[in-house]
Amino acid sequence: MSSLDEFAKAKLENLDVQHLRRTLVETVREDGVWVTRGTRRYLSFSCNDYLNLTHHPKVKAAAIAAIERYGAGAGASRLVTGNHPLLEDLERRLARLKGTEAACVFGSGYLANAGIVPALIGAEDILLIDALSHACLFAGAQLSQAKTVIFRHNDMAHLRELLREHRARYRRALILTDGVFSMDGDLAPLARLSALAAEHDASLMSDDAHGLGVLGEGRGSAYASGEKPNIDLQMGTLSKALGSYGGYLCASQAVVDLVKTRARTLIYSTGLPPANAAAALAALDLIETDAALCARPLANARSFTRAANLPLAESPIVPILLGDPVLALEAQSVLEREGFLAIAIRPPTVPAGTARLRLAFTAGHPEDEIARMAKIVREKILPLAA
Ligand SMILES: *Cc1c(COP(=O)(O)O)cnc(C)c1O
């Protein structure tokens, strides 16, 4: 065995002991909500396909037609020969939806964050990032080489304190946050973040991967309540409610122009395939014309949290905290035996001591099944957590 194999084996054994090893399980999605694993069929609550658009006939037809007409792949980076007209269309549509001058589409949400932050912020600058922000915002922060300070989750007093302590020593400042937190389902206080940013001459970037299509009549978490806060960089993904794949940034024309010439994950990575762009465009048509569809995932999450006696859901994501990874895995098995798929989320995806089930509600989850799951959670899972 090579020394590299020995290293890998020791590392894996260590993860096994802590119940933190992850493995891939072959799973076939039959439609927006039902999946099969081996011979068993489950109702899945572990998919971010909030509007079940991955399987919508119009979305699939758009992707198939794009492949027939334009081929399967983009062929090269967008700056070389991969800038498909569908990408231009998609950018115009996203900018319009988010109320910005321009937009830039990336290969994925992860690539977007890993490209945007270092293109705009450097070693003389400071980043202030919410502690529970998505891993790819932290990746972007690391790649930027800027001074990075972490503020306690949604704690505006802490953020203000850090801005007062550090801001003056740096050229530019950028505040990074999720709009909807991916593992907790709560919302960032975007209006207060934007006011703090203005007070301290900082910019604000929000990752709204889980807001698009499901909050603010589909326009995202920035539109969820009252007046729209000023967010310089509105980032998100085409891979969740839109049912496709790819990431995007909506911002001013100047910022988007700079990102298009400087973001390394755009320049050195192949453009999004035409089928993904076409699917996202078809999904946007549905989202912009069907506010009732966009409202359903949150309504389903709320009927679940009411029935299970949990705090009222703020988004379609509902966490059930178990604490210990062994308990979270046990809770997962309880639901699996009842025909529900809800994958345990363990560190390092969430902080140590906060292993949980993360339920993602979608438009297509049947009401009676939601009620049945709530009863099981109340009777068999919440007692595990106590
Ligand atoms: C899923 C997710 C991403 C990554 O998007 P992909 O398109 O899947 O790469 C980024 N940010 C948040 C908050 C996410 O939940």
Side-chain angles (χ1 to χ4, degrees):
M1 197 158 58
S2 73
S3 64
L4 185 58
D5 290 340
E6 274 166 29
F7 161 80
K9 264 195 83 183
K11 200 86 180 164
L12 288 169
E13 277 162 20
N14 184 266
L15 288 170
D16 277 333
V17 170
Q18 300 175 74
H19 302 277
L20 294 180
R21 179 161 172 186
R22 310 162 197 227
T23 51
L24 295 167
V25 182
E26 198 170 289
T27 307
V28 178
R29 301 185 65 224
E30 292 172 14
D31 58 20
V33 291
W34 293 97
V35 304
T36 49
R37 280 187 161 186
T39 55
R40 275 205 75 177
R41 191 158 177 265
Y42 297 95
L43 187 64
S44 174
F45 287 88
S46 287
C47 209
N48 302 315
D49 187 10
Y50 297 113
L51 303 174
N52 317 115
L53 296 187
T54 56
H55 286 68
H56 192 286
K58 287 188 176 160
V59 175
K60 290 198 292 187
I64 291 164
I67 289 182
E68 292 291 354
R69 174 139 185 235
Y70 302 117
S77 160
R78 292 184 61 187
L79 288 156
V80 187
T81 50
N83 199 37
H84 202 278
L86 285 172
L87 295 176
E88 297 280 332
D89 278 357
L90 184 55
E91 288 174 347
R92 271 193 295 274
R93 290 287 298 275
L94 287 164
R96 197 176 75 193
L97 184 75
K98 294 287 185 178
T100 60
E101 287 173 2
C104 177
V105 166
F106 288 80
S108 76
Y110 198 110
L111 286 171
N113 279 340
I116 296 161
V117 182
L120 300 173
I121 287 287
E124 305 103 281
D125 304 322
I126 183 168
L127 292 169
L128 302 106
I129 181 166
D130 186 289
L132 296 187
S133 296
H134 194 265
C136 57
L137 275 178
F138 280 96
Q142 264 183 337
L143 288 168
S144 77
Q145 299 182 36
K147 160 87 175 171
T148 300
V149 294
I150 299 173
F151 61 94
R152 286 189 296 269
H153 176 53
N154 277 353
D155 185 337
M156 295 301 102
H158 190 214
L159 174 58
R160 173 178 286 118
E161 200 179 292
L162 291 171
L163 281 163
R164 283 191 180 144
E165 184 183 340
H166 298 286
R167 172 69 187 94
R169 287 200 303 283
Y170 296 90
R171 186 182 61 174
R172 284 182 300 109
L174 176 63
I175 301 169
L176 302 173
T177 185
D178 286 13
V180 178
F181 288 87
S182 57
M183 296 298 138
D184 294 77
D186 56 343
L187 310 188
L190 291 170
R192 286 153 69 208
L193 283 163
S194 128
L196 271 180
E199 253 171 62
H200 294 269
D201 185 25
S203 308
L204 176 61
M205 172 166 178
S206 159
D207 174 341
D208 209 27
H210 298 277
L212 181 65
V214 294
L215 294 177
E217 298 196 321
R219 299 180 77 188
S221 60
Y223 296 85
S225 62
E227 203 169 313
K228 185 185 169 284
N230 182 39
I231 304 169
D232 304 282
L233 305 161
Q234 301 188 67
M235 173 271 165
T237 177
L238 312 173
S239 328
K240 286 164 186 165
L242 263 52
S244 180
Y245 195 66
Y248 67 85
L249 169 69
C250 292
S252 67
Q253 189 69 54
V255 165
V256 166
D257 287 348
L258 179 62
V259 162
K260 283 184 175 170
T261 183
R262 293 299 299 279
R264 299 176 67 87
T265 56
L266 184 86
I267 300 170
Y268 300 109
S269 191
T270 300
L272 193 69
N276 296 102
L281 280 163
L284 282 172
D285 286 341
L286 293 163
I287 285 171
E288 288 180 358
T289 52
D290 195 346
L293 173 70
C294 296
R296 271 219 296 279
L298 177 59
N300 282 343
R302 287 189 164 164
S303 78
F304 170 81
T305 52
R306 274 190 212 100
N309 230 349
L310 290 163
L312 190 68
E314 291 177 52
S315 75
I317 300 166
V318 176
I320 301 176
L321 258 76
L322 279 308
D324 190 283
V326 179
L327 285 180
L329 290 169
E330 192 181 327
Q332 175 184 324
S333 321
V334 168
L335 287 182
E336 238 170 66
R337 283 196 289 274
E338 299 285 349
F340 299 117
L341 196 65
I343 302 302
I345 308 286
R346 296 168 284 165
T349 304
V350 291
T354 71
R356 69 195 64 187
L357 292 183
R358 171 193 181 272
L359 305 175
F361 288 84
T362 76
H365 282 123
E367 262 170 55
D368 53 341
E369 289 290 300
I370 292 173
R372 189 168 73 84
M373 186 171 69
K375 185 166 184 291
I376 294 160
V377 165
R378 220 173 46 227
E379 290 172 0
K380 297 191 179 156
I381 300 217
L382 295 182
L384 287 178

